[in-house]
Amino acid sequence: MLSFTEDTFEQAVIELFENMGYTHIYAPDMNRTDYNRPLLDDVLRDCLVRLNRSLPAVAIDEAILKLNDFDAGSLLRKNIIFMDYLQNGITVKYAVKGEERSSVVKLIDYADADKNDFYVVNQYAFVENGNNRRPDIILFINGLPLVLMELKSPSKDEVGAENAYNQIRNYMKDIPSMFYYNAICVISDLSTNKAGTITSGLDRFMEWKTKDGDYENTAYAQFDTFYEGMFQKARLLDILKNFILFSGDGQKPIKILAGYHQYFAVRKAIEKAKIATKTDGKGGVFWHTQGSGKSLSMVFYAHLLQEALDSPTIVVMTDRIDLDDQLYTQFAKCAPFLRQTPVQATSKDNLSKLLDGREANGIIFTTMFKFERGEKPLSERRNIVVMADEDHRGQYGFDEKIVIKENEQGDKEAHTVIGNARIIHDALPNATYIGFTGTPISAKDRNTREVFGDYIDIYDMTQAVEDGATRPVYYESRVIKLDQNTLALIDATYDALEQQSDAATIEKSKKMLGQMESVLGADSTIQSLCEDIVNHYEKYRANLLTGKAMIVAYSRPIAMKIYRKLLELRPTWNEKIGVVMTGGNNDPEDWKEIIGTKSHKEELARKFKDNDDPMKIAIVVDMWLTGFDVPSRATMYV
């Protein structure tokens, strides 16, 4: 290993690329007169002419002009424009015999990798703003510097992947125009090989641990697995076109490169969908653990479906309003990548109007409860794909049951209750259904398999923690002692039950009583709970990471009690804690100011995700428990 210098490591990487069909160029041997150019101009022009044979030279000239002259803006803004050019082509206008025409110049032939020029170039000197820099390796495709690699000696302990990351960040300041055209950045020191983007922090550079989607040997993946798994020609083109997107708000967009688990799982799901739309409509179950980017996988999947199934209509379905909002927001942030703007059904009638008569396209968000049992299907088309989030929950039943209920007069009546899966299938009888979940499906869960079929891909907590995609979870059991008055209340309840119920009823009651609001929300219980939280938080958690913590309450009234008791115990915590829950028309008046409006909740979310904001503790009931990412949160009290 001591003889494995940075130079020999560089040569080993180059050899891998040559074996994959790349042409190697040692940059100092190139006939270059302009060291300020990040593009290989001659190669670029030749490739564009070859890939766009039906277009005149003036159209090619216009495309190259656009590549060389971005509108004013930051490096990131220019990179956003370029990635759109790369993935979708450059729209150009030109005149032919005095008549204006419009067309698209494609930069890459994604259908046939062999029609493109792939170069692995080392020691490519580049000068900008007086800075002369020489990245270790750049991958040029059709003359475009799409992948920049910084390698460090495997034999020097003081340097490594982190040092390579810092060097790339410095390059971005010193030679920014090289990164206008960058799609992927790589940091590598033989033992650590990771890929990210120009917005990725060091913790967001991820390994690529398999060549074919098999997770068997990921714990000790070799460095060649990273390069051969990610940079085979056809796969790299697939990643460039379909697995890089921009998300986040308009002020601070984030460039995201899919992880290997997302890439292979989405690809499997697409192949499954192609079959399911022509057969039984069972698109399978996509199980990727919480925190591993499941919602972004859904975006990549929706993007790819449009080409794979010839512009299908996609219905994204959840079983909770807050999940519908969260998922819709994620898709809306990725609208340019999806090439269409998602819409959110506001009511049952609105959902019906969005689906009725539609022949293609559209990404529609809805909760499952907006589907109604009716005689006429909303659509009988086959190219509709229903993406169900958290598909394992009990609401997705097919069963039809008879339930006895009392009417207003006290008379008992029989009602037929139909499982939601049955109602949805009746509304969209020929659709394909795919389920996304962050938790495993029970072996006894027949309903989920009846609706969606079997697993497409499994990426569990163990694998996610191994990859660093998800942090390990440590559980500490804590006991809140109930005082004598609370215990006496329980005993008195049992005594009353014994006088009027049989043994079976009492036994059933004992199991339920542990969850009763009267016990969990008793003043003495809240007092003990909050004292324990305050002591534990101040001693052990306040200074861990950024001190962000979450308290999960059993119910809304209990959440409010916890909030008030914490402020009673710590009056100075007014800015430190917040309550995040839905409001109701019948809520007490003094709740409304604390719960606030939708915009107030959005502001709380912003504060909680801001590491430097004084808000450190969020009290929640159902909201913020799924699809709400706070990397710095270290503690959850349940």
Side-chain angles (χ1 to χ4, degrees):
M1 177 62 73
L2 290 175
S3 63
F4 212 140
T5 65
E6 186 172 317
D7 181 61
T8 54
F9 181 39
E10 183 178 296
Q11 294 306 315
V13 172
I14 290 169
E15 187 176 332
L16 279 177
F17 279 95
E18 287 182 307
N19 291 338
M20 291 188 286
Y22 288 68
T23 300
H24 172 228
I25 298 176
Y26 178 53
D29 291 342
M30 296 173 67
N31 183 20
R32 297 174 66 197
T33 57
D34 188 350
Y35 286 81
N36 304 104
R37 297 288 299 154
L39 308 177
L40 303 182
D41 293 306
D42 292 342
V43 176
L44 175 63
R45 179 173 291 278
D46 288 346
C47 289
L48 295 192
V49 169
R50 187 175 71 246
L51 298 180
N52 301 274
R53 292 189 182 280
S54 63
L55 299 180
V58 66
I60 304 301
D61 291 340
E62 177 69 12
I64 292 175
L65 182 64
K66 284 193 171 186
L67 277 173
N68 283 312
D69 187 19
F70 294 104
D71 292 334
S74 65
L75 186 162
L76 179 56
R77 292 292 170 190
K78 292 174 180 177
N79 190 249
I80 290 172
I81 294 170
F82 172 72
M83 287 304 299
D84 180 48
Y85 291 164
L86 185 69
Q87 292 175 333
N88 304 302
I90 303 177
T91 301
V92 295
K93 292 182 179 179
Y94 55 94
V96 176
K97 295 181 180 180
E99 181 182 339
E100 186 175 86
R101 295 187 183 180
S102 177
S103 191
V104 174
V105 175
K106 62 182 181 180
L107 302 183
I108 288 179
D109 188 326
Y110 289 105
D112 188 346
D114 292 333
K115 290 184 178 178
N116 304 282
D117 287 355
F118 290 79
Y119 292 102
V120 53
V121 181
N122 62 321
Q123 302 303 316
Y124 186 84
F126 185 74
V127 178
E128 186 171 8
N129 300 325
N131 301 307
N132 188 332
R133 298 293 179 263
R134 193 180 292 230
D136 290 328
I137 293 177
I138 299 175
L139 301 185
F140 287 86
I141 302 179
N142 298 345
L144 301 167
L146 300 183
V147 181
L148 186 143
M149 301 183 177
E150 195 60 27
L151 312 179
K152 292 301 170 186
S153 170
S155 61
K156 293 182 180 179
D157 292 337
E158 71 272 15
V159 298
E162 183 173 353
N163 188 276
Y165 170 80
N166 292 333
Q167 194 154 338
I168 287 177
R169 300 303 297 180
N170 288 330
Y171 286 157
M172 289 172 61
K173 297 174 184 175
D174 297 341
I175 49 172
S177 59
M178 177 64 73
F179 292 87
Y180 299 168
Y181 309 95
N182 179 266
I184 300 170
C185 297
V186 169
I187 55 177
S188 181
D189 66 358
L190 186 63
S191 61
T192 300
N193 308 279
K194 296 182 175 182
T197 74
I198 58 172
T199 66
S200 300
L202 179 60
D203 61 328
R204 289 297 178 183
F205 271 70
M206 302 297 289
E207 296 173 284
W208 194 281
K209 293 185 169 186
T210 176
K211 298 178 185 180
D212 57 6
D214 183 357
Y215 299 157
E216 287 298 315
N217 299 310
T218 56
Y220 305 104
Q222 300 298 312
F223 91 102
D224 58 333
T225 300
F226 170 80
Y227 290 103
E228 292 177 359
M230 194 171 185
F231 295 104
Q232 293 283 351
K233 289 182 179 180
R235 180 164 298 155
L236 176 56
L237 296 189
D238 192 15
I239 292 170
L240 292 174
K241 180 168 174 52
N242 300 309
F243 291 91
I244 298 175
L245 59 77
F246 290 89
S247 183
D249 57 42
Q251 297 300 314
K252 196 174 181 180
I254 300 169
K255 188 176 182 181
I256 294 170
L257 167 67
Y260 77 93
H261 61 288
Q262 294 171 306
Y263 175 84
F264 286 108
V266 169
R267 270 291 164 206
K268 291 176 192 175
I270 290 295
E271 294 308 308
K272 179 72 173 175
K274 290 178 182 177
I275 297 170
T277 53
K278 298 175 182 177
T279 55
D280 59 6
K282 294 181 181 180
V285 176
F286 189 113
W287 168 23
H288 280 205
T289 193
Q290 300 286 354
S292 61
K294 177 166 61 73
S295 59
L296 282 169
S297 295
M298 296 174 76
V299 174
F300 290 126
Y301 177 74
H303 165 79
L304 273 166
L305 276 179
Q306 295 170 61
E307 182 177 333
L309 299 182
D310 191 22
S311 303
T313 298
I314 299 169
V315 177
V316 185
M317 185 174 63
T318 62
D319 66 349
R320 292 215 319 258
I321 293 174
D322 60 318
L323 284 181
D324 186 56
D325 288 341
Q326 288 172 6
L327 208 50
Y328 168 75
T329 300
Q330 177 64 79
F331 271 65
K333 290 176 180 178
C334 304
F337 176 71
L338 293 166
R339 307 288 285 176
Q340 57 182 311
T341 302
V343 294
Q344 200 170 18
T346 56
S347 64
K348 294 175 181 178
D349 288 342
N350 183 230
L351 174 63
S352 179
K353 289 177 182 176
L354 289 171
L355 287 169
D356 187 29
R358 183 186 291 269
E359 293 300 323
N361 292 316
I363 301 176
I364 301 166
F365 282 75
T366 180
T367 56
M368 61 167 55
F369 308 111
K370 289 187 174 75
F371 287 88
E372 279 190 323
R373 190 182 183 196
E375 295 180 4
K376 182 184 176 183
L378 293 176
S379 177
E380 297 187 47
R381 286 169 42 220
R382 293 200 71 88
N383 68 331
I384 292 178
V385 177
V386 177
M387 299 168 58
D389 193 29
E390 297 305 337
D391 60 293
H392 62 288
R393 293 204 248 250
Q395 294 95 324
Y396 292 91
F398 264 118
D399 297 339
E400 182 174 324
K401 300 177 182 177
I402 304 297
V403 177
I404 306 299
K405 294 183 179 180
E406 286 190 1
N407 59 24
E408 294 180 356
Q409 290 73 38
D411 298 325
K412 292 183 177 179
E413 296 178 344
H415 294 267
T416 302
V417 177
I418 306 293
N420 275 293
R422 170 90 164 270
I423 295 172
I424 296 163
H425 265 262
D426 287 347
L428 303 170
N430 298 316
T432 289
Y433 293 80
I434 179 173
F436 289 82
T437 182
T439 53
I441 299 168
S442 166
K444 299 177 181 178
D445 188 353
R446 180 174 55 86
N447 280 330
T448 298
R449 286 182 170 80
E450 282 186 4
V451 177
F452 303 104
D454 292 323
Y455 286 124
I456 300 167
D457 191 78
I458 297 173
Y459 187 73
D460 60 19
M461 179 66 77
T462 302
Q463 184 73 39
V465 170
E466 178 189 293
D467 291 347
T470 300
R471 296 296 183 188
V473 176
Y474 301 98
Y475 173 73
E476 178 183 347
S477 178
R478 303 186 67 77
V479 177
I480 303 302
K481 295 180 179 179
L482 302 179
D483 68 2
Q484 293 301 315
N485 292 332
T486 304
L487 293 171
L489 173 64
I490 296 172
D491 290 339
T493 305
Y494 283 140
D495 289 340
L497 284 169
E498 285 179 350
Q499 306 302 318
Q500 53 185 299
S501 302
D502 56 28
T505 305
I506 295 172
E507 201 58 37
K508 184 178 180 181
S509 173
K510 286 180 180 178
K511 293 179 181 178
M512 296 173 60
L513 199 57
Q515 297 180 335
M516 285 179 59
E517 185 118 359
S518 58
V519 176
L520 297 179
D523 290 343
S524 57
T525 306
I526 298 296
Q527 181 78 29
S528 298
L529 172 71
C530 291
E531 286 176 353
D532 186 63
I533 288 176
V534 167
N535 291 332
H536 183 266
Y537 178 80
E538 290 182 332
K539 286 182 180 179
Y540 306 111
R541 315 306 289 180
N543 297 314
L544 190 67
L545 296 180
T546 59
K548 299 288 183 178
M550 187 177 280
I551 301 170
V552 184
Y554 175 70
S555 67
R556 296 192 316 123
I558 288 176
M560 202 61 71
K561 283 187 174 185
I562 291 172
Y563 174 72
R564 289 184 169 134
K565 180 56 67 176
L566 288 176
L567 284 181
E568 182 183 310
L569 294 171
R570 293 292 185 270
T572 59
W573 281 16
N574 197 47
E575 289 190 8
K576 187 184 287 284
I577 58 176
V579 179
V580 182
M581 64 186 196
T582 54
N585 294 330
N586 298 321
D587 287 346
E589 188 66 29
D590 58 354
W591 284 23
K592 293 182 179 179
E593 184 177 347
I594 298 169
I595 295 173
T597 61
K598 182 178 180 181
S599 61
H600 173 70
K601 293 185 185 71
E602 291 172 352
E603 177 65 9
L604 285 181
R606 186 196 64 77
K607 286 173 169 286
F608 196 59
K609 291 183 177 185
D610 182 349
N611 292 345
D612 300 322
D613 194 90
M615 183 192 170
K616 301 295 183 184
I617 302 173
I619 302 167
V620 306
V621 182
D622 294 316
M623 300 179 75
W624 287 15
L625 293 181
T626 53
F628 186 78
D629 296 328
V630 187
S632 63
R633 184 183 64 194
T635 314
M636 178 181 282
Y637 296 98
V638 182

